[in-house]
Amino acid sequence: MDVRDLKFESDYFHIAIDKSTIDALLCGDHAYLNVAKMTKEVQRVLQVGGYYIAISYGSPDTRLEHFQWDHLSFDVTQMTIGEEPGNQHFVYICKKREDADQKSMENWSIVERVLMDADKEDPEEENIDSGENEEEKND
């Protein structure tokens, strides 16, 4: 099943757990758009008050924005597992708010258009979170 197009009814789950799916999507083409589609779908299938728990290698400065787009309405809490830099996991606990479905309906087309336009303007920027740079790509 494609996480960007879940085949479950709306308001179906109490909890959804993501073990580095966000990380994998951020390493691919159209990264930000694909993550936005995923979070839209996860929010849709969660019940109000339900939790989306994302476990990631990505630190808050590279991940929090993905849970705060205008089409989403989550209360977000972040935890760090591990003390040694470079050997940490970050846990993002996102609780679906009551206004989430309405907010998604009102704002998704705008967010989607902004992200699609960004892909057209600078396709290299898609891999900003993957740590990929021009030198590595040319090796």
Side-chain angles (χ1 to χ4, degrees):
M1 186 177 306
D2 187 342
V3 72
R4 298 165 302 171
D5 183 25
L6 297 172
K7 303 300 180 197
F8 296 102
E9 295 177 26
S10 296
D11 307 312
Y12 190 77
F13 292 103
H14 295 284
I15 191 166
I17 299 174
D18 164 356
K19 175 56 179 93
S20 293
T21 303
I22 190 170
D23 298 341
L25 289 174
L26 286 169
C27 290
D29 293 337
H30 314 291
Y32 278 39
L33 179 60
N34 285 327
V35 170
K37 287 178 179 180
M38 175 187 71
T39 55
K40 175 180 154 289
E41 280 294 281
V42 169
Q43 179 176 262
R44 180 186 65 77
V45 300
L46 282 176
Q47 297 174 359
V48 171
Y51 290 92
Y52 167 42
I53 300 172
I55 304 158
S56 172
Y57 285 110
S59 61
D61 62 315
T62 66
R63 294 299 182 266
L64 280 175
E65 69 180 304
H66 297 287
F67 308 116
Q68 298 170 335
W69 283 98
D70 288 341
H71 69 290
L72 301 172
S73 186
F74 289 122
D75 290 320
V76 182
T77 305
Q78 185 266 317
M79 298 170 45
T80 302
I81 300 173
E83 295 178 16
E84 183 181 329
N87 193 23
Q88 296 175 315
H89 284 82
F90 301 91
V91 181
Y92 303 93
I93 302 167
C94 307
K95 184 178 180 181
K96 183 177 176 179
R97 295 181 187 150
E98 242 179 85
D99 68 339
D101 296 326
Q102 183 67 32
K103 195 168 181 184
S104 182
M105 285 189 334
E106 291 172 358
N107 297 324
W108 171 245
S109 62
I110 297 165
V111 170
E112 182 179 38
R113 187 172 56 246
V114 166
L115 294 173
M116 289 175 73
D117 289 348
D119 276 352
K120 290 176 191 170
E121 290 174 17
D122 190 3
E124 295 302 321
E125 199 163 295
E126 296 169 347
N127 292 317
I128 203 164
D129 285 334
S130 71
E132 190 173 21
N133 64 37
E134 281 301 314
E135 275 182 31
E136 291 171 343
K137 280 200 267 186
N138 294 326
D139 288 341

